[in-house]
Amino acid sequence: MMREQLEDLRTRVLAELEQVDSLSALEDLRVKYIGKKGELTEILKGMGKLSPEERPVIGQLANEIRQKLEQELEQKKDALEKAQLEARLQEETIDVTLPGRPVATASRHPLTQVIEEVEDIFIGLGFEVAEGPEVETDYYNFEALNLPKNHPARDMQDSFYITEEILMRTHTSPVQARTMERKEGKVPVKIICPGKVYRRDDDDATHSHQFTQIEGLMIDEGIRMSDLKGILLTFAKEMFGPDQKIRLRPSFFPFTEPSVEVDISCVMCGGEGCRTCKQTGWIEILGAGMVHPRVLEMSGYDPKRYTGFAFGMGPDRIAMLKFGIDDIRHFYTNDLRFLEQFNRL
Ligand code: DAH
């Protein structure tokens, strides 16, 4: 009786197995027939009723059948898995001849590129990068730089005032006083400060009401004009090439004494004379000088003991020279057709 039941089970399982076409159906089949609570287990519960002679015979048969079925199921499982993999490979075939989709790469703004290059050069010379606010007080923007209220030199920098005492900074020079205060009279002070500045200019090809500057300040005992010249020459060579020359011309700034304007030999013609340098062979790139004793004193440095130099340069001008850009307004109008041309770094 049990023998027939077992053989019948085997026949049914093998027949059903033929029809199975998925791994989940296969698993259902396994659970139903040879799982822990499956039909085979049910049948074997009747073992107790068998005679002692029959028991080992039926036991052996049951084991054979279980083994056979397990084997068959395993084989089927392998076959199904293989078929599934084949189907997936078929489905996911990549057509390597299809043209790729171009990856859109962003690029840094040409001014950012120039500012970062200048930063790298000065960091290499031991300077730190400092920052200051764009909305500034009259005190830091003018007074602490030896430009008292009503001083005529204020006229050089038409300003956007927010209140009587607060304005959009007209230059990065206020960071000089802020840095000296922060350093509390300690030396050396060696900083550069890049940032945006604002002036009430009429915009044209060379003027914008918003532009950028990089301030530099170095204070220590025994700093001299020759240190300023050496640092600026090193900078010019790093920035524009090893053959660069610089030229210092006397000038005036209220916060430096003596003051100079610094030219580099024309990067377009190498000093021969061309349209860019207006046939002079030189291009002005920055203002500089020895920090005025009153400026040192106002921010807590004893001018009898310490001296220093400062400079302020315009990255807009440098970027225009470097990339051959003819209009400063391009930097601030965010036209992608312009910006996408500087995707080199
Ligand atoms: N702040 C000046 C300007 O905006 C530039 C300048 C000149 C900065 C001489 C300096 C300096 O630090 O020493 O026109």
Side-chain angles (χ1 to χ4, degrees), residues 129-250:
V129 178
E131 281 186 354
E134 288 170 29
V135 179
E136 190 49 286
T137 60
D138 188 88
Y139 176 76
Y140 286 113
N141 196 80
F142 291 128
E143 285 169 54
L145 293 164
N146 200 26
L147 274 147
K149 288 205 162 64
N150 302 317
H151 191 287
R154 283 194 180 200
D155 288 351
M156 292 202 301
Q157 300 186 359
D158 278 337
S159 322
F160 289 113
Y161 277 92
I162 292 165
T163 69
E164 285 270 306
E165 292 297 325
I166 298 175
L167 71 160
M168 302 304 290
R169 68 176 175 193
T170 56
H171 49 184
T172 44
S173 302
V175 183
Q176 290 188 27
R178 286 184 174 275
T179 303
M180 285 188 263
E181 284 184 8
R182 182 166 56 83
K183 297 266 182 183
E184 296 178 329
K186 290 191 199 71
V187 287
V189 176
K190 275 181 98 177
I191 57 121
I192 58 162
C193 166
K196 296 194 195 80
V197 301
Y198 304 84
R199 286 190 201 174
R200 210 156 44 76
D201 275 336
D202 286 329
D203 293 359
D204 62 25
T206 53
H207 295 86
S208 163
H209 61 279
Q210 174 197 317
F211 57 104
T212 57
Q213 283 192 337
I214 301 177
E215 195 76 13
L217 176 69
M218 177 164 182
I219 303 172
D220 207 336
E221 280 182 48
I223 299 292
R224 300 183 302 179
M225 194 91 178
S226 52
D227 297 310
L228 170 65
K229 197 172 174 186
I231 291 275
L232 291 179
L233 182 61
T234 306
F235 162 73
K237 285 176 187 282
E238 293 265 338
M239 191 76 194
F240 298 103
D243 297 330
Q244 269 302 320
K245 296 186 188 62
I246 60 168
R247 176 173 85 166
L248 273 55
R249 285 179 289 112

Side-chain angles (χ1 to χ4, degrees), residues 89-136:
L89 286 175
Q90 203 65 37
E91 203 175 294
E92 295 177 4
T93 312
I94 297 170
D95 179 356
V96 291
T97 65
L98 213 63
R101 294 191 195 100
V103 181
T105 53
S107 64
R108 282 173 306 155
H109 193 282
L111 284 176
T112 308
Q113 293 183 24
V114 165
I115 288 171
E116 288 183 356
E117 210 177 322
V118 175
E119 283 177 356
D120 282 349
I121 294 170
F122 279 97
I123 287 169
L125 292 168
F127 284 69
E128 282 170 50
V129 178
E131 281 186 354
E134 288 170 29
V135 179
E136 190 49 286

